[in-house]
Amino acid sequence: MRIFAEAWFLVFLTILLSSGKMTHSVSYDYFATTECLIEPKKAQYGGGIIANPEFNYSMEGWNVFGKGEIKQGISENGNKYIIAHKRTQSLDSVSQKVQFQGQLYTFSAWIQINKGSENVAVIFKTENGALIRAGRVIAKNGCWSLLKGGVFANFSSQPVEILFESKNINVELWVDNVSLQPFTMEQWRSHQDESINKERKSKVKFKVTYANKSAIKGAKVSIQQTQTTFPFGCGMNHYIVENKDYQKWFASRFKYTTFTNEMKWYTNEKKQGIENYTVSDSMVKFTKQNGIRIRGHNIFWDDPKYQPDWVPDLSPDDLREAAAKRINSVVSRYTGQLIAWDVMNENLHFRFYEDKLGENASSEYFSVAHKLDPSTRLFMNEYNTIENCEDENSNPANYLTKLEEILSYPGNEGILAGIGVQGHFGSEEPNLAYMRAALDILASSGLPIWLTEVDVGRGPCQAEYLEQVLREGYAHPAVEGIIMFVGPAVAGFNVTTLADGDFKNTESGVVVDKLIDEWKSQTAEIITDSEGSFEVSLFHGEYNLTVKDFVTNSSTSLIYKLTKEDKSSGIVQFHINA
């Protein structure tokens, strides 16, 4: 907290916890765990609309799906569960039919198998035979794992059958404490607002007194937010170097960015041995001049298609030498100037470096990047982890498994790590229930999550869907930053365009500007009460405060920073000298 003042009075600030009152009888629970438990936890929401969710009444309400069989199991502690066995097809499992009536459904169940470890998915089978995967988990023998997911029900008012999928038909599926909870969009939005008020704001009590500690009644306190602490930014590209209108448009809105291509290897070294950082250096200069912070993107990209043209034909030894030069060059050049590095891009979908250099390629480059730039947070960066449950490669469980592998590599234990999920959503309605469940699972790691490349496909509801995604990300307590890969038409952003050729807002641009304004405290003037006090709820960030005492005709100005870490009861006291 920085303070500047010219007055003979004290100002006391008491930081209070937000109350976060519920507006609906059923509140969304962010609970998730990647732990493997000896006994499962209770069903969320008491099971919601699931009949006999904890199998306290044997197998009542449940049926066999496919050609296998089901039976009841009982643990040593008396916990009852259900077993699907003698399976001959991947979908042979336990099932239950439910009537969908809401719009968003959160799902959870505790899963175990009788040997090894396998990927298990929950499936919603509609009347017309469509199979909708709504969540996955890596189930193990000997302990219970939480399968958490969700679905947007654009097939409401019809029966849907819940079942489970494992491609290994030789394992038994054990299921317990199943939950399916419906929400309307209005309820969902209220839960987002509730979480935003709880996670992004604090109630602050101000008390203004003279130096002798007597209260100043009727003092006017002006509160103006000058900066937010939540990073909400936008990608930028090389057009910004020469286009003054683009520069003005960007700097007036965003203080965080990622260069879409200008720090990638295929840009910096198009011909072997000839490095060129001219454009990226110019962009870094522009960001520094305008107080904009940068996520470094990326050191390596595991997709074979996106290597410099000369790289794929290198021998393993030559590739190792070239890659060592690359990482030392780019990281050393920008050490201490960035807030993050995407070390290995999309290494769940692709494995160019693993195939060429060995299974530990990602781990080794995380190690090198950390040694070169130890104070900058290092990320994996992946798509479809929060957008698309159908993509098995990058589901949250696989993401955490790969990240754990990287961080457990010898010497990597102290790495400052983060979770990067891109957020490239299609033109259809986003599955917010699955997005939230995926974020919950990732959050169980305790690492900060960034949405790194958010955009939404073209369609009649693009702006509406963009707002839904951004609100969901901003509301989640584990998300510590959002970067969109969107921008003005003149810079070539043609998936989600925020401004036309004249820099006038598109519908999506209107949404982004609205959220920027909504997620900061509006300038206010408040008169202190008889005790010299008032209470106000403020977004976390930096503020200019001006206190005017009409009795002495004196005033003081303060710079006050309210952070997420201040969300604890206690008193911050400071003295203002004349």
Side-chain angles (χ1 to χ4, degrees):
M1 181 172 56
R2 291 177 292 161
I3 306 157
F4 301 91
E6 292 183 359
W8 284 104
F9 49 87
L10 296 172
V11 179
F12 296 88
L13 286 85
T14 303
I15 313 302
L16 306 176
L17 287 171
S18 299
S19 60
K21 293 182 179 178
M22 306 298 182
T23 56
H24 290 271
S25 58
V26 179
S27 174
Y28 186 81
D29 181 2
Y30 284 106
F31 166 77
T33 180
T34 54
E35 292 179 287
C36 200
L37 305 181
I38 299 301
E39 294 288 356
K41 295 187 177 182
K42 293 291 185 180
Q44 290 183 287
Y45 311 113
I49 62 173
I50 295 292
N52 190 21
E54 299 183 347
F55 304 101
N56 293 325
Y57 305 99
S58 187
M59 294 182 287
E60 181 180 325
W62 295 89
N63 301 292
V64 64
F65 182 88
K67 298 182 179 180
E69 298 179 7
I70 59 174
K71 63 182 179 180
Q72 189 174 63
I74 303 177
S75 73
E76 293 181 0
N77 294 329
N79 178 60
K80 298 176 182 179
Y81 52 93
I82 200 165
I83 300 172
H85 64 122
K86 297 182 180 179
R87 301 170 59 245
T88 61
Q89 300 178 55
S90 62
L91 291 178
D92 288 350
S93 66
V94 59
S95 73
Q96 182 173 137
K97 286 188 176 181
V98 296
Q99 185 75 27
F100 270 33
Q101 296 176 334
Q103 292 175 301
L104 289 158
Y105 286 78
T106 64
F107 178 86
S108 64
W110 289 88
I111 306 294
Q112 187 175 168
I113 57 177
N114 65 326
K115 55 184 176 181
S117 65
E118 296 291 338
N119 198 297
V120 177
V122 61
I123 306 286
F124 293 150
K125 182 177 181 290
T126 66
E127 269 191 323
N128 63 10
L131 300 178
I132 301 170
R133 287 166 181 80
R136 298 177 185 272
V137 70
I138 299 175
K140 301 175 182 178
N141 171 243
C143 55
W144 293 93
S145 300
L146 179 65
L147 191 165
K148 192 168 188 181
V151 66
F152 174 76
N154 54 3
F155 45 85
S156 297
S157 301
Q158 64 171 279
V160 175
E161 192 165 11
I162 303 170
L163 48 140
F164 299 88
E165 177 187 51
S166 173
K167 294 178 181 178
N168 184 350
I169 62 174
N170 296 314
V171 299
E172 295 179 352
L173 298 182
W174 300 6
V175 180
D176 200 4
N177 297 353
V178 185
S179 174
L180 184 68
Q181 178 64 43
F183 295 93
T184 65
M185 288 299 294
E186 291 74 18
Q187 288 174 321
W188 200 267
R189 173 64 183 275
S190 77
H191 302 152
Q192 291 174 337
D193 292 342
E194 174 193 333
S195 183
I196 288 170
N197 285 331
K198 178 181 178 182
E199 300 296 331
R200 310 301 179 197
K201 303 176 76 175
S202 293
K203 286 184 178 179
V204 186
K205 185 174 183 180
F206 291 86
K207 185 169 185 179
V208 184
T209 67
Y210 292 112
N212 63 7
K213 297 186 179 181
S214 60
I216 304 178
K217 176 183 177 181
K220 182 172 73 174
V221 181
S222 299
I223 304 174
Q224 180 183 24
Q225 186 168 9
T226 57
Q227 186 175 329
T228 63
T229 56
F230 184 88
F232 181 48
C234 184
M236 70 166 64
N237 61 29
H238 64 276
Y239 287 97
I240 206 161
V241 174
E242 300 296 336
N243 192 313
K244 298 295 183 183
D245 290 333
Y246 185 12
Q247 293 175 10
K248 181 179 178 181
W249 177 89
F250 195 103
S252 66
R253 288 168 170 78
F254 304 112
K255 294 299 180 185
Y256 293 85
T257 193
T258 300
F259 301 169
T260 56
N261 286 296
E262 289 74 14
M263 282 189 180
K264 292 174 181 173
W265 194 3
Y266 60 62
T267 299
N268 302 145
E269 195 176 358
K270 293 181 179 180
K271 293 184 178 181
Q272 186 173 10
I274 304 175
E275 293 182 332
N276 187 342
Y277 291 98
T278 302
V279 176
S280 58
D281 284 350
S282 297
M283 293 171 69
V284 169
K285 181 179 179 182
F286 166 76
T287 61
K288 288 181 177 179
Q289 290 171 341
N290 290 274
I292 299 167
R293 307 186 72 185
I294 309 167
R295 292 191 78 256
H297 176 75
N298 51 56
I299 299 174
F300 294 113
W301 197 341
D302 233 346
D303 189 339
K305 292 192 303 182
Y306 295 108
Q307 308 305 319
D309 290 343
W310 52 272
V311 163
D313 294 331
L314 295 177
S315 68
D317 287 343
D318 289 343
L319 174 60
R320 188 176 298 278
E321 181 180 346
K325 179 184 175 184
R326 156 64 179 174
I327 192 170
N328 277 276
S329 174
V330 71
V331 177
S332 297
R333 190 177 196 88
Y334 298 116
T335 293
Q337 301 179 68
L338 310 178
I339 59 173
W341 270 116
D342 292 332
V343 178
M344 187 62 81
N345 201 44
E346 299 174 0
N347 59 343
L348 293 175
H349 285 95
F350 307 103
R351 43 181 296 116
F352 175 79
Y353 291 92
E354 285 75 11
D355 288 341
K356 294 278 189 176
L357 304 178
E359 290 298 326
N360 292 323
S362 291
S363 302
E364 290 171 359
Y365 289 127
F366 267 78
S367 178
V368 174
H370 175 63
K371 291 173 183 175
L372 292 170
D373 195 1
S375 62
T376 299
R377 195 171 293 275
L378 306 181
F379 287 77
M380 285 171 49
N381 190 47
E382 200 48 85
Y383 65 89
N384 280 351
T385 304
I386 62 172
E387 306 100 301
N388 185 357
C389 181
E390 295 290 337
D391 191 333
E392 186 174 342
N393 292 318
S394 58
N395 70 70
N398 284 355
Y399 190 112
L400 293 181
T401 298
K402 183 63 176 180
L403 186 57
E404 182 181 1
E405 172 191 311
I406 290 171
L407 298 182
S408 62
Y409 184 76
N412 285 2
E413 296 82 2
I415 283 179
L416 193 64
I419 292 172
V421 288
Q422 294 177 11
H424 293 295
F425 289 82
S427 58
E428 67 280 357
E429 183 120 11
N431 184 352
L432 300 181
Y434 177 72
M435 177 182 175
R436 188 177 292 184
L439 290 171
D440 289 350
I441 294 167
L442 295 170
S444 66
S445 68
L447 296 172
I449 301 169
W450 279 65
L451 278 56
T452 57
E453 304 181 16
V454 175
D455 60 15
V456 171
R458 288 184 171 187
C461 300
Q462 183 184 53
E464 176 188 351
Y465 295 164
L466 177 63
E467 180 173 355
Q468 289 180 8
V469 169
L470 293 175
R471 285 189 183 278
E472 189 62 39
Y474 186 69
H476 198 284
V479 173
E480 294 195 4
I482 299 174
I483 303 290
M484 302 174 290
F485 264 27
V486 301
V490 296
F493 290 95
N494 56 14
V495 177
T496 305
T497 305
L498 298 188
D500 63 19
D502 297 320
F503 287 92
K504 294 180 180 178
N505 271 345
T506 63
E507 290 183 4
S508 294
V510 171
V511 162
V512 170
D513 281 354
K514 179 184 73 171
L515 293 178
I516 290 172
D517 188 60
E518 181 181 326
W519 294 340
K520 67 180 180 182
S521 301
Q522 302 304 307
T523 300
E525 292 187 345
I526 304 174
I527 304 299
T528 59
D529 61 19
S530 59
E531 296 180 350
S533 301
F534 67 91
E535 185 175 286
V536 64
S537 182
L538 300 175
F539 280 97
H540 302 144
E542 194 165 288
Y543 290 83
N544 285 338
L545 308 180
T546 301
V547 183
K548 174 75 173 180
D549 175 23
F550 294 104
V551 175
T552 62
N553 199 32
S554 59
S555 64
T556 186
S557 294
L558 321 169
I559 296 176
Y560 170 62
K561 188 171 184 179
L562 178 64
T563 68
K564 186 176 183 178
E565 288 68 34
D566 291 326
K567 288 177 67 66
S568 59
S569 58
I571 297 176
V572 179
Q573 178 177 322
F574 52 88
H575 183 75
I576 303 171
N577 294 314

